[in-house]
Amino acid sequence: MLALAGVAAALLRAAGAAPALVATAYAGGAAVCALAAVLGARGRTRRALWTTIAGVMAMALGDHFD
């Protein structure tokens, strides 16, 4: 769910007047959250949790630059 939200935010920011760093941060965070979903599906829940936190922090960084 977070990965989809990050992709949607990246697309919206890329279509607008936001700097390229903002869209890149959202897209990177979405990719990290997608990796977390794969890790969680394989049973690596602790790593998935920390990877999700890192992805959300990357998206928050993009929001900070907006």
Side-chain angles (χ1 to χ4, degrees):
M1 203 63 173
L2 287 171
L4 292 175
V7 168
L11 291 174
L12 288 173
R13 298 294 193 240
L21 179 62
V22 174
T24 305
Y26 277 112
V32 172
C33 287
L35 174 66
V38 170
L39 287 173
R42 292 185 177 180
R44 304 287 187 184
T45 55
R46 187 178 304 154
R47 290 182 184 161
L49 172 67
W50 288 109
T51 307
T52 301
I53 291 169
V56 171
M57 286 177 59
M59 287 189 270
L61 185 66
D63 191 45
H64 177 72
F65 287 125
D66 189 19

